[in-house]
Amino acid sequence: MPVRFLTLLAAALLVALVPHLLWGPLAGAVVALGWTLGWAALQLQRAKRLERWLKQPEGAAPDTMGGLWGDLADRLRRLLTQRDRQVKEHAERLQYFLRALQASPNGVTLLDAQGRIEWCNATASAHLGLDLQRDHLQHVVHLLRDPVFSRYVAQDTHEGEVLIDGRSQSLSRRVRLSVQLHPYGDGQHLLLSRDVTAVQQAEAMRRDFVANVSHEIRTPLTVLAGFVETLQTLDLQEDQRKHILEMMATQAGRMQTLVEDLLTLSQLEGSPPPGLQERFDLPGLMRQIEQDARSLSALSSPHHQTPAHTLVFAPVPDWQIAGVRPEIYSAMSNLVSNAVRYTPPGGEVRVGWSRAADGTAWLEVSVTGPGIAAEHLPRLAERFYRVDRSRSRETGGTGLGLAIAKHAIVRHGGELRIRSQVGKGSSFMLGLPPSRIHESATVPA
Ligand code: ADP
């Protein structure tokens, strides 16, 4: 700086020297003043250009400036470029973290120190019904009006999580969320939300299932214990003893059937989905089912000799089925045995196969009789659901037959359909997808 200044002074003196020598000191002073003013005007103009550029640094840089202003402009340009690069890097990093939070399967909402929403991912939007544009910087307690949540937020510490109702897309589905606040930074909080609807439902189903199984086992067990006590305490005659032992055998049989059905269900749930390699003949399977049905129906006739129902088995197509035979047998025999058990003696049971236009193969078991009221139909395949509990017990039912049938057929990619008309009868259908049916010919019954 002093060097520049001295050079400037020397130049002014040199410029003024000639007029000074030619026309005297006044002329020299005027020329020196003029030169200095010109120089100052030039500096002012450069300073203005720099100022203009600083106001709009994205425009072309004043790179034609020399001297002090040029150095200054260079230095500023470098600083600005460096700052731009840092801003870009920070923005990219921020996007990177937001993308990671966006990918989280849980809802993530960032709250500032006042509990206002700064950002949330799409899952949190869906869980809590938030719209980031609309709700940005809104207080979270004003938007989530669950009293449990308000109390939780008001606490000093937020250990553990709380359960609140979430926003559901459909009115019929109640969504339950587990939410927890995690402090971070300078008073900010991370609000994590998890959809626990399925977990809660599974837990409720498990509780119901255990309660149902215990109840189903306790009843015959209590009866058995009563009979044992009778045998131990009373001096009975031979025919009385025989009668009691027969009733004990019936109760033991009921428990056995229940345990077998439970094992079948747990096997269905635990084993891998059936592949397409394993195959079996449909006619053989249907012969077995028909024999079972005739024997079961005969039990309802006076001398157990002939079936008590009219059993009509239509000709069975000569198909091969790709699937697990015991599972398909279990599904189909449950439908046919139910038909026999729930149809009063003298009624008619029809069993037949057909192929729909989309290739699905349907087994239809239709029965005459009182039919089933519409409100029961959607729940019939639930475990332990019965329309008439005592009728089910009388006929040796466990309440698991249709649950097993549905599970087994769904595992094979098929479906169970139930139709019924009160006073007319019912129709139970099992559909198998075309990929599992291998046709060859139709054989007469
Ligand atoms: P269960 O062992 O009691 O028969 P299922 O799961 O097989 O249990 O059937 C559930 C309920 O559906 C039965 O208790 C009965 O009320 C009703 N049901 C099933 N099949 C028939 C049918 N063919 N006709 C009338 N009701 C039926």
Side-chain angles (χ1 to χ4, degrees):
M1 179 72 183
V3 178
R4 277 182 199 275
F5 184 70
L6 288 176
T7 317
L8 209 72
L9 203 61
L13 286 175
L14 265 174
V15 169
L17 190 62
V18 178
H20 174 79
L21 290 176
L22 288 177
W23 299 295
L26 187 64
V30 169
V31 170
L33 185 66
W35 194 91
T36 309
L37 283 176
W39 181 82
L42 181 70
Q43 299 310 314
L44 201 64
Q45 185 228 1
R46 286 180 174 172
K48 278 273 169 213
R49 271 175 63 197
L50 190 62
E51 190 197 10
R52 267 202 306 279
W53 176 65
L54 280 176
K55 278 184 186 161
Q56 282 180 317
E58 59 275 4
D63 48 3
T64 51
M65 271 187 239
L68 184 64
W69 293 109
D71 287 353
L72 203 58
D74 269 354
R75 193 173 276 259
L76 279 172
R77 193 174 21 237
R78 272 201 300 277
L79 280 175
L80 283 176
T81 315
Q82 199 179 353
R83 189 204 64 176
D84 283 351
R85 203 172 43 238
Q86 280 175 352
V87 168
K88 200 165 157 238
E89 274 172 17
H90 285 149
E92 277 171 4
R93 249 188 131 53
L94 181 66
Q95 284 307 319
Y96 172 79
F97 284 121
L98 290 185
R99 274 201 301 276
L101 291 179
Q102 201 59 274
S104 160
N106 293 331
V108 182
T109 308
L110 305 183
L111 305 176
D112 68 8
Q114 281 76 45
R116 295 177 307 181
I117 295 165
E118 285 191 311
W119 183 86
C120 68
N121 66 359
T123 313
S125 293
H127 280 171
L128 309 171
L130 299 177
D131 177 336
L132 199 50
Q133 303 254 310
R134 185 193 61 203
D135 302 328
H136 186 232
L137 293 184
Q138 295 289 318
H139 283 275
V140 70
V141 278
H142 293 171
L143 298 171
L144 304 185
R145 293 192 164 272
D146 193 312
V148 176
F149 182 69
S150 306
R151 275 200 299 278
Y152 176 67
V153 172
Q155 288 169 8
D156 294 335
T157 54
H158 305 104
E159 276 163 27
E161 45 192 34
V162 285
L163 290 179
I164 63 169
D165 279 338
R167 292 291 168 94
S168 166
Q169 308 299 335
S170 75
L171 287 174
S172 57
R173 186 173 174 260
R174 185 175 176 223
V175 173
R176 293 292 284 165
L177 296 177
S178 153
V179 293
Q180 184 165 15
L181 281 167
H182 299 271
Y184 77 97
D186 196 9
Q188 292 99 319
H189 280 92
L190 190 75
L191 174 67
L192 287 185
S193 52
R194 223 159 27 94
D195 188 337
V196 290
T197 319
V199 179
Q200 295 250 308
Q201 275 171 354
E203 181 56 23
M205 272 172 68
R206 192 192 61 79
R207 274 197 306 269
D208 285 354
F209 185 69
V210 171
N212 273 320
V213 171
S214 314
H215 178 78
E216 294 292 331
I217 289 184
R218 197 179 52 189
T219 314
L221 212 52
T222 313
V223 180
L224 264 179
F227 285 143
V228 169
E229 204 184 324
T230 311
L231 287 177
Q232 281 172 336
T233 51
L234 294 182
D235 205 5
L236 299 170
Q237 287 173 0
E238 191 48 33
D239 57 337
Q240 286 174 317
R241 269 173 58 87
K242 221 171 139 192
H243 181 60
I244 286 185
L245 284 172
E246 269 169 18
M247 287 196 287
M248 286 175 77
T250 310
Q251 297 303 325
R254 258 184 72 184
M255 284 203 290
Q256 206 170 0
T257 320
L258 177 68
V259 171
E260 274 163 13
D261 277 1
L262 286 170
L263 282 174
T264 307
L265 259 183
S266 91
Q267 261 163 16
L268 287 174
E269 277 168 358
S271 47
L276 292 171
Q277 295 76 31
E278 204 175 322
R279 286 190 194 181
F280 60 89
D281 291 329
L282 182 63
L285 180 98
M286 291 309 293
R287 262 196 305 278
Q288 195 179 344
I289 289 177
E290 187 175 342
Q291 273 165 18
D292 294 347
R294 293 194 184 281
S295 316
L296 189 63
S297 174
L299 289 180
S300 308
S301 70
H303 303 292
H304 300 185
Q305 296 295 319
T306 49
H309 305 84
T310 307
L311 301 175
V312 184
F313 278 78
V316 181
D318 188 18
W319 297 338
Q320 284 209 315
I321 309 283
V324 182
R325 192 182 192 276
E327 291 186 17
I328 298 286
Y329 169 77
S330 183
M332 293 174 181
S333 74
N334 263 313
L335 251 56
V336 177
S337 70
N338 274 357
V340 173
R341 284 168 44 228
Y342 290 104
T343 305
E348 188 178 276
V349 176
R350 290 184 163 270
V351 181
W353 279 91
S354 62
R355 201 91 199 250
D358 66 355
T360 307
W362 288 99
L363 167 76
E364 180 166 6
V365 181
S366 48
V367 293
T368 55
I372 306 163
E375 74 260 24
H376 296 297
L377 296 183
R379 299 199 58 191
L380 280 191
E382 282 177 24
R383 291 161 191 199
F384 298 111
Y385 188 87
R386 289 134 158 158
V387 179
D388 180 348
R389 195 162 280 271
S390 56
R391 171 101 187 108
S392 161
R393 290 240 171 82
E394 267 168 35
T395 57
T398 58
L400 296 173
L402 288 180
I404 291 175
K406 182 170 174 182
H407 217 89
I409 205 75
V410 168
R411 273 166 54 77
H412 284 79
E415 63 172 307
L416 166 72
R417 283 188 191 167
I418 307 171
R419 294 195 198 116
S420 189
Q421 264 189 307
V422 176
K424 291 205 169 150
S426 317
S427 162
F428 292 77
M429 296 172 74
L430 287 177
L432 276 171
S435 56
R436 296 203 173 267
I437 310 297
H438 298 275
E439 274 186 46
S440 40
T442 303
V443 291

